[in-house]
Amino acid sequence: MSERFQFTVLKTDGEARVGEIRTRRGTIPTPAFMPVGSAGTVKAMTPDQLAAAGTDILLTNTYHLMLRPGAERIARLGGLHGFMRWQRPILTDSGGFQVMSLAKLRKITDLGVTFQSHIDGATHVLTPERAVEIQCLLGSDIHMQLDECIALPASRKELEGAVARSLAWAVRAKRALHVELEKGTARQATALFGIVQGGIDPELRARSAEALTAMDLPGYAVGGLAVGEPRDITLETFRLTARRLPADKPRYLMGVGTPIDLIESVARGADLFDCVMPTRSGRHGQAFTWAGKVNLRNARHAEDSGPLDPNGRCPAARDYSRAYLHHLVKAEEYLGAILLSWANVAFYQELMLAMRTAIAEGRFATWAAATKAKLVPSER
Amino acid sequence: MSERFQFTVLKTDGEARVGEIRTRRGTIPTPAFMPVGSAGTVKAMTPDQLAAAGTDILLTNTYHLMLRPGAERIARLGGLHGFMRWQRPILTDSGGFQVMSLAKLRKITDLGVTFQSHIDGATHVLTPERAVEIQCLLGSDIHMQLDECIALPASRKELEGAVARSLAWAVRAKRALHVELEKGTARQATALFGIVQGGIDPELRARSAEALTAMDLPGYAVGGLAVGEPRDITLETFRLTARRLPADKPRYLMGVGTPIDLIESVARGADLFDCVMPTRSGRHGQAFTWAGKVNLRNARHAEDSGPLDPNGRCPAARDYSRAYLHHLVKAEEYLGAILLSWANVAFYQELMLAMRTAIAEGRFATWAAATKAKLVPSER
């Protein structure tokens, strides 16, 4: 395994592309979906179940881990991979998004952001440099720059400010990682991704994308989307942004999404995703299947002896009846959350695999149309 | 595999005995511990984890399952084993204990007990006959008679009444199972266990045990103990009761207990146990180990990179650091409950195996003394 982070596009089909990210902890076939392990665990799943579901890379949250158990503690314990028993690649977000959405009394300046922990109210400071330092302490494979993520709708002036600040922070993050590399506290293979901001304003998105591209970072994320704006706008903004990013670098669409969102985004050139949807929905009794979303609370499943997916590879989807899953969900049993989280992550990974195969075989558009038609009849 | 329920004592060592219960769904080496799967699932564990932990038989609760999803529904779905994906033996309790402890507005007469569901307030009736019918619908391998279990301390008159009523109900349960067998709605291999009552009164316990013994049932439980009385009294009452029961039938001490309780009870002739302790404690951040109980909430584990048991067979006990378990418990993550329940059930099964081995090798007393000494230094 090379010590260097490397991305290769193997084939394109329209704007969709299939490729691979090589890291020193393994190769990630793209497009790839990252389950979210906020606090160093993907909720209600064991690492073995995650791997069995076909997961090649996880995302964990810098914000959650810096507050509890603390980045220095994880470093003393040997790093995040050993701590959570996940030896494949990990991407860590920068903490910026959670500071905006979870922390109390936050104050943002050009220097960084000061906030109070949602757990115990203690005051913390996150700067672009500290975000890199934390990610080095965790030992993740892909780092995200600290960015300013603002809620939509926002004024042009607010958006411009967030774009400018995020760019300045990207420069500081790159410099900070360089310092860590010089000190020997980061590995050569560590990849820092920049984050494009700019809301749904094409001109601002272009400005942000071009400035980041000039920095020649190993990968680029598109942030600040899927935060409440209409889906068409999300997708169109992503498409325009992706076209401004270099073709030979991975494009990560943050926080997306439903199975259909993933298909639409891959069609527009996305390579990497993260979303809490499969696990959160699983904890709320909802399953993703090739025939659409299934709400297992629904009484129609009470005597259904069939599984979620008789042809699936995942034991949770293949081996347990809908009647049993319905019972577990109604009785609020742990096993309901366990099995549905597992089945949903496995479904998401099967979906990514199917997309990669369709792109590799040059039939992505046909596959996408047929699959979207099957996925539509979903149940509330 | 024989179609008949069969118990064999293979060796005795003092009053302790090692043996096996043969059922059509597999052999249960005794002394055996049954994890509790109240609502058709052992909380926070998959069936695969239960089996990997060394579990040969489960207990499920008639009370919970009759209320939700309902015994007739489980029968229509093909029975409890398929429903919960557990193909090894299952013992079902009769529902009596839960009616007393969980149900609202219960009213007991000689006929049976009328109560309101703790889930939706609906009125239900449980008679000795209905308890057998439900257990036949579930398709469990060992049935428990409906009994009257009263809280201690109780007056002599109350205890006498409960003994008399429980005996009358045992006779009706035996007759009811005979009727089900005649109808073909129960399998020949189904074993009905009687339950000895009598509080901590030796004379009443003897009367109850002797009357049940005269019924020549396939096994006998000792109920109404470990309900708040001092441990010495529990053990002495069990010992006296066990001596009144036939040596060639299994003796099941209901609802017990801690690891040391299990050792002390096996020393007094117990063959079968059930208890929520390993799983409930696991959900509350406590682990059972060969060095005593460990409270993972305790800050002393925060940077302990060692596992619960480096020599254990269970991945949950062997492969994850105490620091990670501490973090999961503090963060109230599902995975904390999952791993600790698994580790605890595995520990209980390792304890049973160690007892069986010590008895088979004629060194139970020595083993018990050494093991109890190791288990004592427990942590709150």
Side-chain angles (χ1 to χ4, degrees), chain B residues 238-267:
Chain B
F238 175 73
R239 183 206 292 269
L240 294 175
T241 307
R243 287 176 177 168
R244 299 282 186 163
L245 290 169
D248 61 348
K249 300 288 175 74
R251 302 168 189 148
Y252 162 28
L253 177 51
M254 303 180 86
V256 169
T258 67
I260 289 179
D261 289 340
L262 298 186
I263 296 171
E264 297 290 10
S265 307
V266 166

PDB file of all heavy atoms in Angstrom, chain B residues 238-267:
ATOM      1  N   PHE B 238     -33.570 -22.711  49.480  1.00  0.00           N
ATOM      2  CA  PHE B 238     -33.398 -23.502  48.259  1.00  0.00           C
ATOM      3  C   PHE B 238     -32.828 -24.880  48.586  1.00  0.00           C
ATOM      4  O   PHE B 238     -33.297 -25.902  48.072  1.00  0.00           O
ATOM      5  CB  PHE B 238     -32.509 -22.794  47.229  1.00  0.00           C
ATOM      6  CG  PHE B 238     -32.263 -23.686  46.045  1.00  0.00           C
ATOM      7  CD1 PHE B 238     -33.279 -23.923  45.120  1.00  0.00           C
ATOM      8  CD2 PHE B 238     -31.061 -24.365  45.883  1.00  0.00           C
ATOM      9  CE1 PHE B 238     -33.086 -24.794  44.061  1.00  0.00           C
ATOM     10  CE2 PHE B 238     -30.871 -25.243  44.821  1.00  0.00           C
ATOM     11  CZ  PHE B 238     -31.881 -25.455  43.907  1.00  0.00           C
ATOM     12  N   ARG B 239     -31.835 -24.926  49.451  1.00  0.00           N
ATOM     13  CA  ARG B 239     -31.199 -26.211  49.769  1.00  0.00           C
ATOM     14  C   ARG B 239     -32.217 -27.206  50.349  1.00  0.00           C
ATOM     15  O   ARG B 239     -32.314 -28.353  49.897  1.00  0.00           O
ATOM     16  CB  ARG B 239     -30.058 -26.012  50.765  1.00  0.00           C
ATOM     17  CG  ARG B 239     -29.300 -27.313  51.084  1.00  0.00           C
ATOM     18  CD  ARG B 239     -28.630 -27.284  52.446  1.00  0.00           C
ATOM     19  NE  ARG B 239     -27.530 -26.347  52.506  1.00  0.00           N
ATOM     20  CZ  ARG B 239     -26.251 -26.663  52.222  1.00  0.00           C
ATOM     21  NH1 ARG B 239     -25.941 -27.873  51.827  1.00  0.00           N
ATOM     22  NH2 ARG B 239     -25.309 -25.753  52.348  1.00  0.00           N
ATOM     23  N   LEU B 240     -33.000 -26.715  51.302  1.00  0.00           N
ATOM     24  CA  LEU B 240     -33.983 -27.597  51.931  1.00  0.00           C
ATOM     25  C   LEU B 240     -35.019 -28.057  50.912  1.00  0.00           C
ATOM     26  O   LEU B 240     -35.446 -29.210  50.914  1.00  0.00           O
ATOM     27  CB  LEU B 240     -34.663 -26.866  53.093  1.00  0.00           C
ATOM     28  CG  LEU B 240     -33.726 -26.527  54.270  1.00  0.00           C
ATOM     29  CD1 LEU B 240     -34.461 -25.699  55.317  1.00  0.00           C
ATOM     30  CD2 LEU B 240     -33.176 -27.825  54.886  1.00  0.00           C
ATOM     31  N   THR B 241     -35.415 -27.141  50.028  1.00  0.00           N
ATOM     32  CA  THR B 241     -36.418 -27.486  49.016  1.00  0.00           C
ATOM     33  C   THR B 241     -35.851 -28.504  48.026  1.00  0.00           C
ATOM     34  O   THR B 241     -36.513 -29.493  47.677  1.00  0.00           O
ATOM     35  CB  THR B 241     -36.871 -26.215  48.279  1.00  0.00           C
ATOM     36  OG1 THR B 241     -37.288 -25.247  49.243  1.00  0.00           O
ATOM     37  CG2 THR B 241     -38.031 -26.514  47.334  1.00  0.00           C
ATOM     38  N   ALA B 242     -34.608 -28.244  47.575  1.00  0.00           N
ATOM     39  CA  ALA B 242     -33.989 -29.134  46.585  1.00  0.00           C
ATOM     40  C   ALA B 242     -33.906 -30.562  47.114  1.00  0.00           C
ATOM     41  O   ALA B 242     -34.107 -31.529  46.379  1.00  0.00           O
ATOM     42  CB  ALA B 242     -32.597 -28.617  46.216  1.00  0.00           C
ATOM     43  N   ARG B 243     -33.636 -30.692  48.418  1.00  0.00           N
ATOM     44  CA  ARG B 243     -33.535 -32.034  49.008  1.00  0.00           C
ATOM     45  C   ARG B 243     -34.866 -32.779  48.991  1.00  0.00           C
ATOM     46  O   ARG B 243     -34.892 -34.004  49.078  1.00  0.00           O
ATOM     47  CB  ARG B 243     -33.028 -31.921  50.445  1.00  0.00           C
ATOM     48  CG  ARG B 243     -31.547 -31.571  50.505  1.00  0.00           C
ATOM     49  CD  ARG B 243     -31.086 -31.380  51.932  1.00  0.00           C
ATOM     50  NE  ARG B 243     -29.648 -31.114  51.977  1.00  0.00           N
ATOM     51  CZ  ARG B 243     -29.002 -30.678  53.057  1.00  0.00           C
ATOM     52  NH1 ARG B 243     -29.669 -30.473  54.196  1.00  0.00           N
ATOM     53  NH2 ARG B 243     -27.709 -30.465  53.018  1.00  0.00           N
ATOM     54  N   ARG B 244     -35.979 -32.022  48.916  1.00  0.00           N
ATOM     55  CA  ARG B 244     -37.307 -32.647  48.875  1.00  0.00           C
ATOM     56  C   ARG B 244     -37.718 -32.996  47.451  1.00  0.00           C
ATOM     57  O   ARG B 244     -38.774 -33.584  47.236  1.00  0.00           O
ATOM     58  CB  ARG B 244     -38.357 -31.676  49.448  1.00  0.00           C
ATOM     59  CG  ARG B 244     -38.116 -31.292  50.890  1.00  0.00           C
ATOM     60  CD  ARG B 244     -38.558 -32.427  51.806  1.00  0.00           C
ATOM     61  NE  ARG B 244     -38.454 -32.011  53.203  1.00  0.00           N
ATOM     62  CZ  ARG B 244     -39.071 -32.641  54.195  1.00  0.00           C
ATOM     63  NH1 ARG B 244     -39.828 -33.702  53.965  1.00  0.00           N
ATOM     64  NH2 ARG B 244     -38.925 -32.221  55.436  1.00  0.00           N
ATOM     65  N   LEU B 245     -36.906 -32.567  46.477  1.00  0.00           N
ATOM     66  CA  LEU B 245     -37.267 -32.811  45.074  1.00  0.00           C
ATOM     67  C   LEU B 245     -36.519 -34.045  44.572  1.00  0.00           C
ATOM     68  O   LEU B 245     -35.437 -34.359  45.063  1.00  0.00           O
ATOM     69  CB  LEU B 245     -36.921 -31.585  44.223  1.00  0.00           C
ATOM     70  CG  LEU B 245     -37.823 -30.361  44.487  1.00  0.00           C
ATOM     71  CD1 LEU B 245     -37.258 -29.109  43.813  1.00  0.00           C
ATOM     72  CD2 LEU B 245     -39.250 -30.624  44.001  1.00  0.00           C
ATOM     73  N   PRO B 246     -37.080 -34.754  43.588  1.00  0.00           N
ATOM     74  CA  PRO B 246     -36.446 -35.994  43.115  1.00  0.00           C
ATOM     75  C   PRO B 246     -35.099 -35.704  42.461  1.00  0.00           C
ATOM     76  O   PRO B 246     -34.961 -34.731  41.716  1.00  0.00           O
ATOM     77  CB  PRO B 246     -37.451 -36.547  42.098  1.00  0.00           C
ATOM     78  CG  PRO B 246     -38.314 -35.403  41.713  1.00  0.00           C
ATOM     79  CD  PRO B 246     -38.330 -34.464  42.871  1.00  0.00           C
ATOM     80  N   ALA B 247     -34.118 -36.547  42.730  1.00  0.00           N
ATOM     81  CA  ALA B 247     -32.758 -36.332  42.230  1.00  0.00           C
ATOM     82  C   ALA B 247     -32.680 -36.477  40.717  1.00  0.00           C
ATOM     83  O   ALA B 247     -31.774 -35.939  40.085  1.00  0.00           O
ATOM     84  CB  ALA B 247     -31.796 -37.315  42.898  1.00  0.00           C
ATOM     85  N   ASP B 248     -33.619 -37.188  40.127  1.00  0.00           N
ATOM     86  CA  ASP B 248     -33.524 -37.454  38.683  1.00  0.00           C
ATOM     87  C   ASP B 248     -34.316 -36.459  37.831  1.00  0.00           C
ATOM     88  O   ASP B 248     -34.548 -36.696  36.657  1.00  0.00           O
ATOM     89  CB  ASP B 248     -33.970 -38.893  38.379  1.00  0.00           C
ATOM     90  CG  ASP B 248     -35.423 -39.135  38.782  1.00  0.00           C
ATOM     91  OD1 ASP B 248     -36.007 -38.272  39.505  1.00  0.00           O
ATOM     92  OD2 ASP B 248     -35.987 -40.160  38.374  1.00  0.00           O
ATOM     93  N   LYS B 249     -34.714 -35.337  38.446  1.00  0.00           N
ATOM     94  CA  LYS B 249     -35.410 -34.300  37.675  1.00  0.00           C
ATOM     95  C   LYS B 249     -34.637 -32.989  37.812  1.00  0.00           C
ATOM     96  O   LYS B 249     -34.060 -32.710  38.872  1.00  0.00           O
ATOM     97  CB  LYS B 249     -36.840 -34.090  38.228  1.00  0.00           C
ATOM     98  CG  LYS B 249     -37.730 -35.324  38.174  1.00  0.00           C
ATOM     99  CD  LYS B 249     -38.143 -35.648  36.751  1.00  0.00           C
ATOM    100  CE  LYS B 249     -38.933 -36.967  36.683  1.00  0.00           C
ATOM    101  NZ  LYS B 249     -40.296 -36.865  37.203  1.00  0.00           N
ATOM    102  N   PRO B 250     -34.616 -32.166  36.756  1.00  0.00           N
ATOM    103  CA  PRO B 250     -33.897 -30.892  36.864  1.00  0.00           C
ATOM    104  C   PRO B 250     -34.562 -29.942  37.851  1.00  0.00           C
ATOM    105  O   PRO B 250     -35.783 -29.941  38.002  1.00  0.00           O
ATOM    106  CB  PRO B 250     -33.945 -30.323  35.438  1.00  0.00           C
ATOM    107  CG  PRO B 250     -35.024 -31.063  34.734  1.00  0.00           C
ATOM    108  CD  PRO B 250     -35.189 -32.390  35.415  1.00  0.00           C
ATOM    109  N   ARG B 251     -33.719 -29.141  38.515  1.00  0.00           N
ATOM    110  CA  ARG B 251     -34.176 -28.169  39.509  1.00  0.00           C
ATOM    111  C   ARG B 251     -33.801 -26.769  39.032  1.00  0.00           C
ATOM    112  O   ARG B 251     -32.627 -26.465  38.857  1.00  0.00           O
ATOM    113  CB  ARG B 251     -33.501 -28.417  40.848  1.00  0.00           C
ATOM    114  CG  ARG B 251     -33.740 -29.795  41.413  1.00  0.00           C
ATOM    115  CD  ARG B 251     -32.782 -30.019  42.579  1.00  0.00           C
ATOM    116  NE  ARG B 251     -32.814 -31.397  43.041  1.00  0.00           N
ATOM    117  CZ  ARG B 251     -31.755 -32.013  43.541  1.00  0.00           C
ATOM    118  NH1 ARG B 251     -30.585 -31.387  43.643  1.00  0.00           N
ATOM    119  NH2 ARG B 251     -31.864 -33.258  43.948  1.00  0.00           N
ATOM    120  N   TYR B 252     -34.812 -25.975  38.890  1.00  0.00           N
ATOM    121  CA  TYR B 252     -34.636 -24.653  38.289  1.00  0.00           C
ATOM    122  C   TYR B 252     -34.898 -23.596  39.363  1.00  0.00           C
ATOM    123  O   TYR B 252     -36.000 -23.489  39.873  1.00  0.00           O
ATOM    124  CB  TYR B 252     -35.599 -24.556  37.096  1.00  0.00           C
ATOM    125  CG  TYR B 252     -35.938 -23.190  36.544  1.00  0.00           C
ATOM    126  CD1 TYR B 252     -35.067 -22.099  36.641  1.00  0.00           C
ATOM    127  CD2 TYR B 252     -37.151 -23.006  35.872  1.00  0.00           C
ATOM    128  CE1 TYR B 252     -35.413 -20.859  36.112  1.00  0.00           C
ATOM    129  CE2 TYR B 252     -37.498 -21.780  35.334  1.00  0.00           C
ATOM    130  CZ  TYR B 252     -36.627 -20.704  35.463  1.00  0.00           C
ATOM    131  OH  TYR B 252     -36.975 -19.487  34.936  1.00  0.00           O
ATOM    132  N   LEU B 253     -33.869 -22.832  39.698  1.00  0.00           N
ATOM    133  CA  LEU B 253     -34.006 -21.759  40.691  1.00  0.00           C
ATOM    134  C   LEU B 253     -34.293 -20.457  39.951  1.00  0.00           C
ATOM    135  O   LEU B 253     -33.416 -19.896  39.292  1.00  0.00           O
ATOM    136  CB  LEU B 253     -32.729 -21.655  41.535  1.00  0.00           C
ATOM    137  CG  LEU B 253     -32.692 -20.528  42.585  1.00  0.00           C
ATOM    138  CD1 LEU B 253     -33.924 -20.525  43.478  1.00  0.00           C
ATOM    139  CD2 LEU B 253     -31.423 -20.626  43.419  1.00  0.00           C
ATOM    140  N   MET B 254     -35.523 -19.984  40.074  1.00  0.00           N
ATOM    141  CA  MET B 254     -35.990 -18.886  39.216  1.00  0.00           C
ATOM    142  C   MET B 254     -35.445 -17.517  39.644  1.00  0.00           C
ATOM    143  O   MET B 254     -35.434 -17.175  40.821  1.00  0.00           O
ATOM    144  CB  MET B 254     -37.523 -18.852  39.222  1.00  0.00           C
ATOM    145  CG  MET B 254     -38.136 -20.172  38.777  1.00  0.00           C
ATOM    146  SD  MET B 254     -39.955 -20.163  38.773  1.00  0.00           S
ATOM    147  CE  MET B 254     -40.268 -19.475  37.149  1.00  0.00           C
ATOM    148  N   GLY B 255     -34.995 -16.754  38.648  1.00  0.00           N
ATOM    149  CA  GLY B 255     -34.642 -15.350  38.878  1.00  0.00           C
ATOM    150  C   GLY B 255     -33.323 -15.101  39.577  1.00  0.00           C
ATOM    151  O   GLY B 255     -33.048 -13.987  40.005  1.00  0.00           O
ATOM    152  N   VAL B 256     -32.475 -16.107  39.682  1.00  0.00           N
ATOM    153  CA  VAL B 256     -31.160 -15.986  40.349  1.00  0.00           C
ATOM    154  C   VAL B 256     -30.082 -16.096  39.274  1.00  0.00           C
ATOM    155  O   VAL B 256     -30.196 -16.955  38.379  1.00  0.00           O
ATOM    156  CB  VAL B 256     -31.008 -17.101  41.403  1.00  0.00           C
ATOM    157  CG1 VAL B 256     -29.577 -17.188  41.921  1.00  0.00           C
ATOM    158  CG2 VAL B 256     -31.990 -16.874  42.559  1.00  0.00           C
ATOM    159  N   GLY B 257     -29.039 -15.284  39.351  1.00  0.00           N
ATOM    160  CA  GLY B 257     -28.716 -14.243  40.297  1.00  0.00           C
ATOM    161  C   GLY B 257     -27.343 -13.678  39.949  1.00  0.00           C
ATOM    162  O   GLY B 257     -26.902 -13.672  38.810  1.00  0.00           O
ATOM    163  N   THR B 258     -26.590 -13.288  40.952  1.00  0.00           N
ATOM    164  CA  THR B 258     -25.213 -12.818  40.741  1.00  0.00           C
ATOM    165  C   THR B 258     -24.316 -14.029  40.483  1.00  0.00           C
ATOM    166  O   THR B 258     -24.705 -15.166  40.790  1.00  0.00           O
ATOM    167  CB  THR B 258     -24.672 -12.098  41.990  1.00  0.00           C
ATOM    168  OG1 THR B 258     -24.543 -13.067  43.037  1.00  0.00           O
ATOM    169  CG2 THR B 258     -25.590 -10.973  42.438  1.00  0.00           C
ATOM    170  N   PRO B 259     -23.097 -13.819  39.980  1.00  0.00           N
ATOM    171  CA  PRO B 259     -22.196 -14.971  39.795  1.00  0.00           C
ATOM    172  C   PRO B 259     -22.014 -15.778  41.079  1.00  0.00           C
ATOM    173  O   PRO B 259     -22.056 -17.017  41.054  1.00  0.00           O
ATOM    174  CB  PRO B 259     -20.894 -14.309  39.326  1.00  0.00           C
ATOM    175  CG  PRO B 259     -21.362 -13.101  38.562  1.00  0.00           C
ATOM    176  CD  PRO B 259     -22.539 -12.584  39.358  1.00  0.00           C
ATOM    177  N   ILE B 260     -21.838 -15.094  42.211  1.00  0.00           N
ATOM    178  CA  ILE B 260     -21.661 -15.838  43.467  1.00  0.00           C
ATOM    179  C   ILE B 260     -22.950 -16.571  43.855  1.00  0.00           C
ATOM    180  O   ILE B 260     -22.915 -17.712  44.327  1.00  0.00           O
ATOM    181  CB  ILE B 260     -21.134 -14.897  44.580  1.00  0.00           C
ATOM    182  CG1 ILE B 260     -19.666 -14.541  44.261  1.00  0.00           C
ATOM    183  CG2 ILE B 260     -21.250 -15.551  45.967  1.00  0.00           C
ATOM    184  CD1 ILE B 260     -19.001 -13.594  45.239  1.00  0.00           C
ATOM    185  N   ASP B 261     -24.110 -15.956  43.620  1.00  0.00           N
ATOM    186  CA  ASP B 261     -25.388 -16.657  43.859  1.00  0.00           C
ATOM    187  C   ASP B 261     -25.449 -17.955  43.066  1.00  0.00           C
ATOM    188  O   ASP B 261     -25.938 -18.984  43.552  1.00  0.00           O
ATOM    189  CB  ASP B 261     -26.580 -15.799  43.409  1.00  0.00           C
ATOM    190  CG  ASP B 261     -26.831 -14.593  44.300  1.00  0.00           C
ATOM    191  OD1 ASP B 261     -26.361 -14.592  45.455  1.00  0.00           O
ATOM    192  OD2 ASP B 261     -27.504 -13.650  43.823  1.00  0.00           O
ATOM    193  N   LEU B 262     -25.002 -17.893  41.813  1.00  0.00           N
ATOM    194  CA  LEU B 262     -25.063 -19.092  40.966  1.00  0.00           C
ATOM    195  C   LEU B 262     -24.166 -20.194  41.531  1.00  0.00           C
ATOM    196  O   LEU B 262     -24.571 -21.354  41.610  1.00  0.00           O
ATOM    197  CB  LEU B 262     -24.644 -18.759  39.530  1.00  0.00           C
ATOM    198  CG  LEU B 262     -25.510 -17.750  38.767  1.00  0.00           C
ATOM    199  CD1 LEU B 262     -25.049 -17.657  37.316  1.00  0.00           C
ATOM    200  CD2 LEU B 262     -26.984 -18.124  38.802  1.00  0.00           C
ATOM    201  N   ILE B 263     -22.968 -19.810  41.942  1.00  0.00           N
ATOM    202  CA  ILE B 263     -22.046 -20.811  42.508  1.00  0.00           C
ATOM    203  C   ILE B 263     -22.650 -21.428  43.771  1.00  0.00           C
ATOM    204  O   ILE B 263     -22.676 -22.657  43.943  1.00  0.00           O
ATOM    205  CB  ILE B 263     -20.677 -20.162  42.824  1.00  0.00           C
ATOM    206  CG1 ILE B 263     -20.011 -19.675  41.526  1.00  0.00           C
ATOM    207  CG2 ILE B 263     -19.771 -21.140  43.571  1.00  0.00           C
ATOM    208  CD1 ILE B 263     -18.747 -18.834  41.752  1.00  0.00           C
ATOM    209  N   GLU B 264     -23.177 -20.567  44.658  1.00  0.00           N
ATOM    210  CA  GLU B 264     -23.752 -21.067  45.916  1.00  0.00           C
ATOM    211  C   GLU B 264     -24.963 -21.965  45.657  1.00  0.00           C
ATOM    212  O   GLU B 264     -25.199 -22.934  46.388  1.00  0.00           O
ATOM    213  CB  GLU B 264     -24.173 -19.884  46.806  1.00  0.00           C
ATOM    214  CG  GLU B 264     -23.027 -18.978  47.246  1.00  0.00           C
ATOM    215  CD  GLU B 264     -22.083 -19.631  48.256  1.00  0.00           C
ATOM    216  OE1 GLU B 264     -22.190 -20.846  48.494  1.00  0.00           O
ATOM    217  OE2 GLU B 264     -21.220 -18.909  48.803  1.00  0.00           O
ATOM    218  N   SER B 265     -25.744 -21.631  44.638  1.00  0.00           N
ATOM    219  CA  SER B 265     -26.951 -22.419  44.361  1.00  0.00           C
ATOM    220  C   SER B 265     -26.608 -23.743  43.708  1.00  0.00           C
ATOM    221  O   SER B 265     -27.253 -24.764  43.980  1.00  0.00           O
ATOM    222  CB  SER B 265     -27.898 -21.617  43.465  1.00  0.00           C
ATOM    223  OG  SER B 265     -28.155 -20.344  44.027  1.00  0.00           O
ATOM    224  N   VAL B 266     -25.604 -23.741  42.836  1.00  0.00           N
ATOM    225  CA  VAL B 266     -25.162 -25.001  42.241  1.00  0.00           C
ATOM    226  C   VAL B 266     -24.637 -25.916  43.352  1.00  0.00           C
ATOM    227  O   VAL B 266     -24.910 -27.129  43.360  1.00  0.00           O
ATOM    228  CB  VAL B 266     -24.091 -24.750  41.160  1.00  0.00           C
ATOM    229  CG1 VAL B 266     -23.371 -26.040  40.782  1.00  0.00           C
ATOM    230  CG2 VAL B 266     -24.746 -24.129  39.918  1.00  0.00           C
ATOM    231  N   ALA B 267     -23.937 -25.320  44.312  1.00  0.00           N
ATOM    232  CA  ALA B 267     -23.431 -26.105  45.446  1.00  0.00           C
ATOM    233  C   ALA B 267     -24.577 -26.752  46.223  1.00  0.00           C
ATOM    234  O   ALA B 267     -24.387 -27.746  46.913  1.00  0.00           O
ATOM    235  CB  ALA B 267     -22.605 -25.218  46.375  1.00  0.00           C
TER     236      ALA B 267
END
